[in-house]
Each structure stands twice: as structure tokens, then as C-alpha cells.
């Protein structure tokens, strides 16, 4: 918890990285006790905060480099998502939200990371699975935002159609089809629908996905 003070002092990021603190934190993401991994995710969300990135971009770059290039931070973050059970624990649900916050912060700071995230992790499959949950909540909305953001990258759009074990375009279509005869119940849910259709539109930038869209009867949507 004391490390949260570092998030308020980005001038310390360089020393934080040099001392190996980032490597140690990421190692704790695989801790048997998920409470420990959730604490790490929460700290990373604070460390990568958007305002800090705007105020101290050079220091943030040091942190991001340590997270991404040297210590497999992307892979470990997404792998940890697979251990969280939102149905049984509000802490796990908060952990999913914090993880998506970290990913969004990283993508905002360095948009070209999108292709690496999609190539090196199972984030697309996770987001598609999360969006299939019928109940609307803040995590479902956040999942739609991150998916839309990722698919704006052409390489991620291609990757959506190449997922092993599932048809990413068809699964995204199914999430969109849920609202074919159902009106969003709130402004937030309306934003979710906009994100879903935005993601679908972005995915069609990949020519092969256009064939998948037609095959899945996307035009009937």
C-alpha cells in the first residue's frame, strides 16, 4: 500500500524501475493468493494514470518500457484475468475493472501497443467472452470500450478473424444482435451498444472479416 505514494511522485519512476520494483510487482500477479495480485493491479492502475502520463511523459515511458518490453507485463495482466471470478467476489470484479484500466492507460499512452496486446495475449477472447454476459454492468461497458479501441488497429482487426477455437467476428455479431430487438435501458448501456457496433465496423477493415460477416448473416442485423 505504501507504494501508492510512488504514483503521486512520477519523478521517482526512474528509480522505481532501476530498483527492479516493476519486475517484483509483476511477479506477484501470479501469486497463489489473488488478493495479492489484485493489490498489484490496483497499484498499476494508479501508476499508469492518464494524468500522470500527460504531466510526466518521459517518466511514464520508463515505466511502460519496464512493464512491456522487459517483464512480460501484458501477458501477466491478461493471464491474471483468467483467475478472477466476478460472480463470486466484488473484489474480483473490481480487479477486472482495474486490469482494463491499466490496459486502457497503456493504449492511450502508446497506441501502437494495441497490436502487441492482441498478438501476445488472449485479450480479444477474454473481451468477447465478457461481452456475451447478458447482464449489463460497468465491466461489460468497459470491455466494449477496450475492444473498440483495440480493433481500431488494423492488425487487431485481422487477429479477431484468426482467433483459434472461435469465430471472433461471429461472436461480436452475437453481442450486437442482443440489441436487435432490445432498447438500451440507460445512457451507459447505450454507450455500450455504440461501442459494440463501432468495434464491429472497425473489424471490417480487414478484408477477410468481411467474408466472415457475410457468412454469419451480418447484413440481417
Amino acid at each position: 500500500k505504501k507504494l501508492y505514494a510512488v504514483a503521486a511522485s512520477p519523478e521517482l519512476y526512474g528509480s522505481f524501475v532501476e530498483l527492479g520494483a516493476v519486475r517484483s510487482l509483476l511477479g506477484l500477479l501470479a501469486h497463489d493468493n489473488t488478493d495479492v495480485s489484485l493489490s498489484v493491479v490496483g497499484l498499476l492502475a494508479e501508476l499508469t494514470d492518464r494524468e500522470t502520463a500527460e504531466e510526466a511523459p518521459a517518466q511514464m515511458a520508463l515505466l511502460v518500457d519496464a512493464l512491456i518490453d522487459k517483464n512480460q507485463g501484458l501477458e501477466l495482466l491478461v493471464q491474471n484475468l483468467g483467475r478472477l471470478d466476478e460472480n463470486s467476489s466484488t473484489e474480483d470484479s473490481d480487479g477486472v475493472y482495474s486490469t482494463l484500466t491499466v490496459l486502457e492507460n497503456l493504449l492511450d499512452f502508446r497506441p501502437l501497443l494495441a497490436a502487441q496486446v492482441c498478438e501476445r495475449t488472449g485479450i480479444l477472447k477474454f473481451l468477447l467472452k465478457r461481452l456475451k454476459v447478458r447482464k449489463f454492468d460497468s465491466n461489460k461497458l468497459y470491455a466494449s470500450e477496450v475492444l473498440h479501441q483495440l480493433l481500431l488497429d488494423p492488425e487487431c482487426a485481422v487477429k479477431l478473424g484468426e482467433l483459434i477455437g472461435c469465430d471472433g467476428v461471429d461472436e461480436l455479431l452475437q453481442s450486437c444482435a442482443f440489441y436487435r430487438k432490445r432498447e438500451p435501458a440507460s445512457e451507459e448501456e447505450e454507450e455500450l451498444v455504440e461501442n459494440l457496433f463501432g468495434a464491429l465496423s472497425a473489424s471490417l477493415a480487414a478484408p477477410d472479416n468481411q467474408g466472415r460477416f457475410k457468412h454469419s448473416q451480418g447484413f440481417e442485423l
Side-chain angles (χ1 to χ4, degrees), residues 29-80:
L29 284 175
H31 197 282
D32 290 342
N33 186 343
T34 55
D35 289 343
V36 174
S37 69
L38 293 177
S39 294
V40 171
V41 171
L43 175 58
L44 291 175
E46 292 293 326
L47 290 169
T48 58
D49 181 71
R50 190 176 305 175
E51 287 189 15
T52 302
E54 294 173 353
E55 295 169 2
Q59 288 74 21
M60 183 63 74
L62 294 173
L63 179 68
V64 172
D65 287 343
L67 284 170
I68 305 306
D69 297 331
K70 302 173 183 177
N71 295 302
Q72 296 185 310
L74 294 175
E75 293 90 336
L76 292 168
L77 278 166
V78 175
Q79 286 171 16
N80 189 57

Side-chain angles (χ1 to χ4, degrees), residues 19 30 44 61 63 76 83 88 94 116 124 133 138 176 185 205 207 213 216 221:
L19 291 170
L44 291 175
L63 179 68
L76 292 168
R83 301 200 299 157
S88 66
D94 290 344
Q116 292 186 50
L124 289 177
V133 176
S138 59
C176 292
F213 177 83
S216 297
L221 184 60

Side-chain angles (χ1 to χ4, degrees), residues 177-196:
F178 178 65
Y179 289 97
R180 185 179 181 182
K181 296 181 179 179
R182 182 181 185 278
E183 289 294 323
S186 65
E187 290 185 5
E188 290 79 11
E189 193 168 13
E190 186 174 334
E191 183 181 348
L192 162 73
V193 176
E194 291 174 357
N195 288 333
L196 288 174

Side-chain angles (χ1 to χ4, degrees), residues 110-185:
R110 194 172 289 175
L112 292 179
L113 280 176
Q116 292 186 50
V117 177
C118 293
E119 180 62 34
R120 291 163 47 179
T121 78
I123 190 61
L124 289 177
K125 280 190 174 182
F126 172 83
L127 294 173
L128 290 170
K129 180 180 179 180
R130 186 60 183 79
L131 289 168
K132 289 176 73 174
V133 176
R134 295 297 178 92
K135 180 183 177 182
F136 174 78
D137 58 20
S138 59
N139 281 357
K140 185 173 183 179
L141 173 59
Y142 214 165
S144 72
E145 292 175 1
V146 174
L147 181 63
H148 187 195
Q149 188 172 11
L150 287 171
L151 293 181
L152 289 172
D153 184 288
E155 291 185 43
C156 292
V158 170
K159 187 68 177 177
L160 180 74
E162 298 176 345
L163 294 175
I164 297 174
C166 74
D167 184 334
V169 175
D170 185 65
E171 295 213 1
L172 182 52
L173 269 170
Q174 290 180 40
S175 294
C176 292
F178 178 65
Y179 289 97
R180 185 179 181 182
K181 296 181 179 179
R182 182 181 185 278
E183 289 294 323

